[in-house]
């Protein structure tokens, strides 16, 4: 862009101030385009990764970039508020289920056979040296009660966790003790009673679990839809802003056309000659420049007839700038190749010269030796 502006400044326009004004316009448009490009990338990235995203309200709120966050803030705050309300309601329902479960547990622990299971097994006192080899996770009702009453976040989160530990108490006792042992029989009997009572509560537990799954799925869907709505609005805004940039570019183009002086016949002739010096690839790009302002022109046709005189002033100046840049670049490459060849030739000459000296020295030494052998005085 800078090289093109310099060329236009020298040959297309007169006053430098006009070129500077146009340069500032170009810089402003370039900055706007760069900003829009980044926003377009953000939107594209969202739609590319939506299918693979694990959407939760907390994660989605922290994962978005600042621009998206600002637009989503109101919607996310509302969603977070609704989520908090749902969580509070779910917690209240679960607490009610745990209260009902506590009633079942109290009935079991008040049974006359429950006393062996109320506290951790006294492994040392009873001399049960192999206990921890057989029982991997000891459990007792005292530990369960403490965990149910915990307020530091280490307690049970749902009824199934308590149910699992209660069964573990009896299963451990049955696993360690022989089936004819009193403790084994007591544990088996209490487990059966416990399972009967659990079956009465199970439908309510299953219903609550199903409800929580459905609410979580709905919350994730709501967040996803909110995100898509925000990005859809962003895409719409971007489209409008890009249209504005197109209008600015068109206005700038018209100004350039008005400011360009007419190219002389001699300059057109030189331009036509310079075009023939381009590489096939660069010539194709030059023809594409012509086609931009000449819809009827076919740059990829088998034979192309380019009428320089029929081209607009803007096209001519664009062609001139393009051709100058390409020929200048090609000239530098040619110079580099020539210099490289010269260096290679110099190295070859030096190498050959050195080799000739070595051969000459060897021949001289051989001649001296032969002379010595033929000398009568030797």
């Amino acid at each position: 862009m800078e090289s093109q502006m310099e060329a236009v400044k020298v040959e297309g326009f007169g006053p430098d101030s006009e070129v500077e004004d146009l340069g500032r316009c170009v810089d402003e448009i370039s900055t706007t385009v760069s900003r829009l490009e980044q926003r377009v990338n953000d939107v594209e990235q969202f739609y590319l990764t939506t299918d693979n995203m694990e959407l939760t309200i907390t994660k989605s709120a922290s994962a978005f970039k600042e621009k998206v966050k600002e637009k989503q803030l109101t919607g996310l705050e509302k969603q977070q508020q609704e989520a908090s309300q749902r969580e509070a309601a779910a917690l209240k329902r679960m607490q009610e289920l745990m209260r009902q479960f506590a009633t079942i547990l109290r009935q079991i622990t008040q049974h006359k056979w429950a006393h062996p299971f109320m506290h951790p097994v006294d492994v040392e006192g009873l001399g049960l040296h192999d206990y921890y080899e057989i029982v991997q996770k000891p459990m007792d009702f005292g530990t369960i009660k403490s965990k149910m009453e915990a307020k530091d976040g280490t307690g049970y989160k749902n009824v199934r966790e308590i149910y699992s530990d209660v069964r573990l108490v009896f299963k451990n006792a049955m696993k360690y003790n022989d089936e004819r042992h009193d403790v084994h029989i007591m544990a088996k009997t209490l487990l059966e009673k416990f399972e009967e009572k659990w079956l009465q509560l199970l439908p309510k537990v299953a219903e609550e679990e199903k409800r929580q799954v459905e609410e979580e799925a709905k919350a994730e869907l709501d967040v996803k839809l909110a995100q898509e709505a925000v990005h859809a609005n962003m895409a719409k805004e971007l489209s409008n802003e890009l249209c504005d940039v197109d209008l600015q570019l068109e206005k700038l183009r018209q100004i350039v056309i008005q400011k360009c002086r007419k190219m002389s016949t001699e300059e057109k002739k030189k331009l036509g000659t310079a075009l023939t010096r381009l590489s096939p690839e660069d010539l194709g790009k030059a023809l594409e420049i012509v086609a931009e302002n000449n819809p009827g022109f076919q740059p990829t046709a088998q034979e192309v007839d380019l009428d320089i005189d029929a081209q607009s002033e803007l096209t001519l100046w664009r062609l001139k700038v393009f051709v100058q840049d390409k020929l200048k670049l090609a000239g530098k490459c040619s110079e580099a190749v020539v210099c490289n060849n010269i260096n290679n030739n110099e190295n070859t000459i030096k190498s050959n010269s050195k080799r000739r000296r070595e051969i000459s020295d060897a021949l001289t030494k051989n001649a001296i030796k032969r002379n010595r052998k033929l000398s009568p005085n030797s």
Side-chain angles (χ1 to χ4, degrees):
M1 180 64 73
E2 291 180 359
S3 63
Q4 292 182 9
M5 290 302 298
E6 287 297 324
V8 173
K9 182 172 103 171
V10 173
E11 303 188 52
F13 300 134
D16 290 346
S17 59
E18 293 180 352
V19 177
E20 292 175 358
D21 290 340
L22 286 174
R24 281 193 292 271
C25 290
V26 171
D27 290 341
E28 291 174 1
I29 293 175
S30 297
T31 301
T32 302
V33 169
S34 298
R35 177 175 54 82
L36 293 177
E37 183 180 12
Q38 181 58 49
R39 291 174 59 191
V40 168
N41 290 337
D42 292 343
V43 174
E44 288 180 345
Q45 189 64 27
F46 169 78
Y47 285 109
L48 286 173
T49 58
T50 294
D51 293 338
N52 299 324
M53 287 174 65
E54 294 182 359
L55 298 172
T56 62
I57 293 174
T58 303
K59 288 184 179 179
S60 61
S62 62
F64 284 164
K65 296 183 178 181
E66 292 302 322
K67 182 67 68 174
V68 182
K69 279 184 179 179
E70 293 175 3
K71 293 181 176 294
Q72 284 186 314
L73 190 58
T74 303
L76 282 176
E77 286 180 348
K78 182 179 178 181
Q79 304 247 340
Q80 289 174 335
Q81 185 177 6
E82 292 176 353
S84 297
Q85 293 173 353
R86 285 194 299 268
E87 289 175 2
L91 179 60
K92 187 175 181 180
R93 294 193 301 271
M94 184 56 68
Q95 287 175 342
E96 174 58 24
L97 288 174
M98 293 174 74
R99 187 188 66 77
Q100 295 179 36
F101 187 91
T103 301
I104 296 174
L105 186 60
R106 187 163 51 252
Q107 293 172 354
I108 296 298
T109 55
Q110 288 177 352
H111 193 279
K112 62 180 180 179
W113 286 354
H115 63 89
F117 315 108
M118 297 303 297
H119 304 286
V121 176
D122 184 7
V123 177
E124 296 294 332
L126 297 175
L128 308 178
H129 305 300
D130 60 346
Y131 185 81
Y132 293 117
E133 296 177 5
I134 299 174
V135 177
Q136 282 72 40
K137 184 182 177 182
M139 186 55 60
D140 64 277
F141 289 130
T143 300
I144 292 174
K145 183 179 179 182
S146 299
K147 198 171 180 180
M148 289 179 67
E149 296 173 352
K151 304 296 183 181
D152 58 356
T154 60
Y156 295 108
K157 301 296 186 297
N158 57 67
V159 175
R160 281 197 184 272
E161 291 181 353
I162 317 175
Y163 165 74
S164 178
D165 277 354
V166 172
R167 292 187 80 252
L168 185 62
V169 173
F170 298 129
K171 288 292 184 180
N172 285 345
M174 294 166 64
K175 184 177 182 181
Y176 185 76
N177 297 279
D178 184 82
E179 60 182 13
R180 291 172 295 182
H181 195 282
D182 289 345
V183 174
H184 183 105
I185 297 172
M186 295 163 69
K188 184 177 180 180
T189 302
L190 290 178
L191 178 59
E192 291 173 353
K193 290 181 178 295
F194 170 70
E195 293 287 7
E196 289 177 3
K197 295 180 180 297
W198 167 252
L199 287 176
Q200 297 174 8
L201 182 62
L202 185 57
K204 295 182 180 179
V205 175
E207 181 182 355
E208 176 59 25
E209 290 172 339
K210 180 181 177 182
R211 182 172 181 174
Q212 287 187 10
V213 170
E214 291 175 348
E215 288 184 352
E216 289 176 1
K218 183 179 182 300
E220 291 179 359
L221 179 60
D222 289 344
V223 171
K224 184 176 180 179
L225 292 175
Q227 292 173 346
E228 290 180 350
V230 168
H231 283 84
N233 289 332
M234 287 181 64
K236 183 177 180 181
E237 292 175 3
L238 283 169
S239 178
N240 293 334
E241 291 185 49
L242 288 170
C243 288
D244 291 340
V245 171
D246 287 340
L247 291 175
Q248 294 178 38
L249 288 172
E250 181 59 27
K251 290 179 181 178
L252 186 60
R253 177 176 173 274
Q254 294 300 326
I255 293 174
V256 171
I257 293 174
Q258 294 173 6
K259 296 295 183 181
C260 282
R261 68 169 175 80
K262 288 189 176 183
M263 190 175 287
S264 67
T265 303
E266 184 64 23
E267 288 175 318
K268 292 180 182 178
K269 183 178 179 180
K270 290 181 179 180
L271 177 58
T273 302
L275 284 168
T276 63
R277 295 166 54 195
L278 293 176
S279 67
E281 181 181 358
D282 290 337
L283 181 58
K285 293 179 181 179
L287 295 178
E288 289 176 2
I289 293 175
V290 176
E292 288 181 15
N293 293 320
N294 190 350
F297 184 74
Q298 298 294 330
T300 58
Q302 199 71 17
E303 292 185 5
V304 178
D305 184 15
L306 178 59
D307 186 357
I308 292 292
D309 294 327
Q311 306 307 314
S312 66
E313 294 300 325
L314 178 60
T315 299
L316 292 174
W317 283 111
R318 287 184 64 194
L319 281 175
K320 184 168 185 177
V321 172
F322 177 80
V323 170
Q324 285 179 338
D325 286 346
K326 293 302 179 182
L327 292 181
K328 184 177 180 181
L329 180 61
K332 289 182 179 179
C333 292
S334 298
E335 291 178 5
V337 172
V338 170
C339 290
N340 188 43
N341 290 338
I342 291 173
N343 290 334
N344 290 338
N345 290 337
E346 288 179 351
N347 291 333
T348 302
I349 292 171
K350 290 178 181 179
S351 178
N352 292 338
S353 177
K354 181 180 179 182
R355 182 60 180 159
R356 285 196 297 271
R357 286 198 302 270
E358 291 175 351
I359 294 173
S360 177
D361 292 342
L363 291 173
T364 301
K365 290 179 181 179
N366 290 334
I368 292 173
K369 288 180 180 179
R370 286 196 299 270
N371 291 335
R372 286 179 177 174
K373 288 180 180 180
L374 294 174
S375 174
N377 297 325
S378 57

